[in-house]
Amino acid sequence: MTTFDSRLAGTLSPVLTPFNADGTVCPRRFIEHCERLLEQDVGLALFGTNSESASMTLSEKRKLLEALHAANLPPERMLVGVGACALAEVIELTQAALAGGSSSVLMVPPFYYKGVSDEGLFRSVAQVIETIGDARLRIYLYHIPTVSQVPFSLPLIARLLAAYPGVIAGIKDSSGDLNHALSLLHEFRNARFDVFAGSETHLVEMMRAGCAGVISATANVNGAAIARLCHRWDAVDGQVEQDAANRLRAAFARFAMIPAMKAATAAQLDDPVWTRVRAPLVELPAEQQASLLKELTALGFYTRQELPA
Amino acid sequence: MTTFDSRLAGTLSPVLTPFNADGTVCPRRFIEHCERLLEQDVGLALFGTNSESASMTLSEKRKLLEALHAANLPPERMLVGVGACALAEVIELTQAALAGGSSSVLMVPPFYYKGVSDEGLFRSVAQVIETIGDARLRIYLYHIPTVSQVPFSLPLIARLLAAYPGVIAGIKDSSGDLNHALSLLHEFRNARFDVFAGSETHLVEMMRAGCAGVISATANVNGAAIARLCHRWDAVDGQVEQDAANRLRAAFARFAMIPAMKAATAAQLDDPVWTRVRAPLVELPAEQQASLLKELTALGFYTRQELPA
């Protein structure tokens, strides 16, 4: 779902990346997975944390993005993860996104150096914006301090919004802290600044408070339900659907999330290629896969073999 | 100084990277700085943390490495920082190093994902070694948990040494914890595994305990003294020289280290180009530069203008 001025809204999923036996990316499976997500009304957050984008080269990401655009997937449903430690790489991938018609990008701050100043982070984002120099650009800040260890503070966001209104379009808040999301919504209530929940865990409360939507890893495996919840959070059965989504998420969160979601996808599609991850991640051990699938089945998550005819 | 089988030893410096006004790397100044370090008997740890290598693209690093090799700087005095989040990039830069005759590389583990398993880190290093498939390769592990947040644990090192003896050549211990370095020396006393101090702060004690040398940022600005201390740690005035080196390091550590070392280098060479850093780092404010230079002068660190004729 996109609004009149091409702002993203609703549910997006950081798209899992399938790897062939030789370790290369499989564009066919990636495109098919994107198509399945779109069919469930789930937008495509490409190259996110759960896409293993950190383990992919810039060249791999460019080629995959070009493959998606060439396959005529809707560029306006894409949020392209462009964050990297080297700003020249951020700029190159952002330019590739814009060239394909995807104007929305998700930017994790440069994450190698720790304890950097807000001034340095402001300059990082500013350098990307000034170098790109394209009014279509919409930057969503990616706040995920437990992974990046480098946050987007509220004063930094305020400064970025003041300097680049319209370009600084919103944030994915993966702090995991409901109060932090509420602070963002309150602080920037008078700006055009869209806050996306970083998971569906508190989605009803966050939509009630004014979130624009949710960007959640588990939309890879529970997309339709999360998208419905995001549309109908204020329906009478909103909390019932919230609880159901949370039970499914909890089943995945008992394991390493990325390998667990890939194992579930492999089982659902009866396609073991999907279990593969790149180092430093490790596939789920067989007994954990079995335990996960058993729990998912009990929660009504069907594997392909079990799908009703 | 290199030993008979091309093992590195002695003092190395993570080489600071000079940036032109347009933000590009300046190969001429970089090569000149490398030559100054070599004249002080300081080896070249290229693309380390203090080189701002995280802010440089793979292509920039390849070109700079090729420029150094083309300038006939001794490849056996180079330790090439190859660590990156994407292993394909680690492999490409390692191959470029070997192609130029530099067989020693420094590898920080993939550092985006946090809380990864030793199994995943083992696979990361193993994949690089197996893909390269070159018996000349010497990998030095880069343990810098305060920055990477991803450590090389002792059991992981033991497993790597058992699987790839000779290739796993040593470690730069930037834990900042003397006891950690002593544990490494004790644990691997029967292996051919060279422990380098990550700074000169405890160099006398660490050389006495069996370290192979030191890889320290401040060797950029105090190379000759640190190299002398590393050679003559057991001389009668070893502790006096240690104390002097520590006083100089403390002067830099009062500020952000990389901008401070660049400011001092700019002052020493009377070349303001050296003050530049890449975002997310920020140059030292003028008053901090003045304060640093005043303290350095008091410690006998001459700027170019003040050099005795």
Side-chain angles (χ1 to χ4, degrees):
Chain A
M1 187 173 73
T2 53
T3 56
F4 69 98
D5 66 346
S6 299
R7 290 284 184 130
L8 296 167
T11 301
L12 293 95
S13 177
V15 185
L16 293 172
T17 308
F19 299 115
N20 294 310
D22 65 359
T24 57
V25 174
C26 177
R28 177 179 66 77
R29 286 182 174 85
F30 189 76
I31 291 170
E32 287 170 359
H33 186 52
C34 287
E35 289 170 341
R36 281 190 297 273
L37 291 169
L38 291 169
E39 283 166 13
Q40 297 171 74
D41 198 21
V42 173
L44 310 174
L46 307 169
F47 318 137
T49 298
N50 286 274
S51 311
E52 296 174 77
S53 73
S55 306
M56 293 161 69
T57 65
L58 177 60
S59 160
E60 286 179 316
K61 289 183 239 188
R62 284 199 64 150
K63 283 181 190 155
L64 210 44
L65 188 58
E66 284 160 15
L68 284 183
H69 289 148
N72 290 317
L73 270 72
E76 71 279 7
R77 296 298 304 272
M78 300 177 193
L79 173 65
V80 184
V82 295
C85 294
L87 296 176
E89 295 191 353
V90 180
I91 290 164
E92 184 179 331
L93 195 53
T94 303
Q95 285 169 331
L98 284 162
S102 300
S103 56
S104 298
V105 301
L106 184 65
M107 193 182 301
V108 75
F111 52 85
Y112 183 69
Y113 298 103
K114 306 302 187 294
V116 294
S117 64
D118 275 1
E119 170 67 23
L121 294 174
F122 177 84
R123 289 189 194 182
S124 301
V125 179
Q127 185 180 326
V128 173
I129 294 170
E130 303 281 355
T131 307
I132 302 275
D134 188 324
R136 293 174 302 163
L137 181 60
R138 298 285 176 269
I139 292 180
Y140 294 82
L141 308 173
Y142 189 7
H143 179 67
I144 182 168
T146 54
V147 179
S148 67
Q149 305 278 326
V150 178
F152 280 110
S153 72
L154 269 62
L156 171 60
I157 296 167
R159 189 175 163 199
L160 284 166
L161 269 170
Y164 302 106
V167 179
I168 301 297
I171 193 165
K172 177 182 186 207
D173 182 11
S174 293
S175 66
D177 175 1
L178 175 60
N179 287 327
H180 185 262
L182 298 177
S183 301
L184 288 167
L185 287 163
H186 177 76
E187 189 79 9
F188 304 113
R189 64 194 178 283
N190 296 324
R192 185 71 207 274
F193 185 71
D194 296 330
V195 177
F196 283 83
S199 90
E200 68 277 24
T201 306
H202 302 290
L203 192 53
V204 167
E205 281 167 281
M206 290 181 71
M207 293 305 289
R208 183 178 296 131
C211 272
V214 57
I215 306 172
S216 176
T218 33
N220 277 289
V221 288
N222 195 30
I226 297 172
R228 190 172 58 239
L229 176 61
C230 190
H231 278 299
R232 301 180 61 254
W233 59 269
D234 58 350
V236 287
D237 55 352
Q239 195 55 50
V240 174
E241 297 205 8
Q242 175 76 75
D243 293 345
N246 289 1
R247 277 193 299 274
L248 194 72
R249 187 177 176 94
F252 284 98
R254 284 178 47 223
F255 306 95
M257 280 286 281
I258 298 172
M261 290 188 298
K262 285 189 142 180
T265 303
Q268 198 169 30
L269 300 176
D270 195 17
D271 180 1
V273 163
W274 270 105
T275 55
R276 284 197 198 97
V277 292
R278 281 190 175 174
L281 303 186
V282 174
E283 294 78 17
L284 232 50
E287 67 276 17
Q288 289 190 23
Q289 282 196 37
S291 168
L292 168 67
L293 294 179
K294 188 177 167 190
E295 186 164 347
L296 293 180
T297 305
L299 288 168
F301 183 90
Y302 295 105
T303 62
R304 193 174 194 82
Q305 301 95 310
E306 298 166 327
L307 278 176
Chain B
M1 187 172 73
T2 55
T3 56
F4 68 97
D5 68 344
S6 298
R7 290 282 184 131
L8 296 167
T11 301
L12 293 96
S13 176
V15 185
L16 293 172
T17 308
F19 299 115
N20 294 310
D22 64 1
T24 57
V25 174
C26 176
R28 176 179 67 77
R29 286 182 173 85
F30 189 75
I31 290 170
E32 288 170 356
H33 187 51
C34 287
E35 289 169 341
R36 282 190 297 273
L37 291 170
L38 291 169
E39 284 166 14
Q40 298 171 74
D41 198 19
V42 173
L44 311 174
L46 308 168
F47 317 138
T49 299
N50 287 273
S51 313
E52 296 174 77
S53 73
S55 306
M56 293 161 69
T57 66
L58 177 59
S59 160
E60 287 178 317
K61 289 183 239 186
R62 285 199 61 151
K63 283 181 190 153
L64 210 44
L65 188 58
E66 284 160 15
L68 284 184
H69 288 148
N72 290 317
L73 271 70
E76 72 279 6
R77 297 296 305 271
M78 300 176 192
L79 172 65
V80 184
V82 295
C85 294
L87 295 177
E89 295 191 352
V90 180
I91 291 164
E92 184 179 329
L93 195 54
T94 303
Q95 285 169 332
L98 284 163
S102 300
S103 56
S104 297
V105 301
L106 184 65
M107 192 183 301
V108 75
F111 52 84
Y112 183 68
Y113 298 103
K114 305 303 187 293
V116 294
S117 64
D118 275 0
E119 170 67 23
L121 294 175
F122 177 84
R123 289 189 195 183
S124 301
V125 180
Q127 185 181 326
V128 173
I129 295 171
E130 303 279 355
T131 307
I132 302 275
D134 189 324
R136 294 175 302 164
L137 181 61
R138 297 286 175 271
I139 293 180
Y140 294 82
L141 308 172
Y142 189 8
H143 179 67
I144 183 166
T146 54
V147 179
S148 67
Q149 305 277 325
V150 178
F152 281 110
S153 72
L154 269 60
L156 171 59
I157 297 167
R159 189 176 163 200
L160 284 166
L161 270 171
Y164 302 106
V167 178
I168 301 298
I171 193 165
K172 178 184 186 205
D173 182 10
S174 294
S175 66
D177 175 2
L178 175 61
N179 288 326
H180 185 263
L182 298 177
S183 300
L184 287 167
L185 287 163
H186 177 76
E187 189 79 9
F188 303 114
R189 63 194 177 283
N190 296 323
R192 185 70 208 273
F193 185 72
D194 296 331
V195 177
F196 283 83
S199 89
E200 68 276 23
T201 307
H202 301 290
L203 192 53
V204 167
E205 281 167 282
M206 291 181 70
M207 292 305 289
R208 183 177 296 134
C211 272
V214 57
I215 306 171
S216 175
T218 32
N220 278 290
V221 287
N222 194 29
I226 296 173
R228 190 173 58 237
L229 176 62
C230 191
H231 278 300
R232 302 180 61 254
W233 59 269
D234 58 351
V236 287
D237 56 350
Q239 194 55 50
V240 174
E241 296 205 8
Q242 175 76 75
D243 293 344
N246 289 1
R247 277 194 298 275
L248 194 71
R249 188 178 176 92
F252 284 97
R254 283 177 48 223
F255 306 95
M257 280 286 282
I258 298 172
M261 291 187 298
K262 284 188 143 180
T265 303
Q268 197 169 32
L269 300 177
D270 195 17
D271 179 1
V273 163
W274 269 104
T275 56
R276 285 197 196 97
V277 293
R278 282 189 176 176
L281 303 187
V282 175
E283 294 78 18
L284 232 51
E287 67 276 17
Q288 289 190 22
Q289 282 195 37
S291 167
L292 169 67
L293 294 179
K294 188 176 166 190
E295 187 165 347
L296 292 181
T297 303
L299 288 169
F301 183 91
Y302 295 107
T303 63
R304 193 175 194 82
Q305 301 94 310
E306 297 166 329
L307 278 176

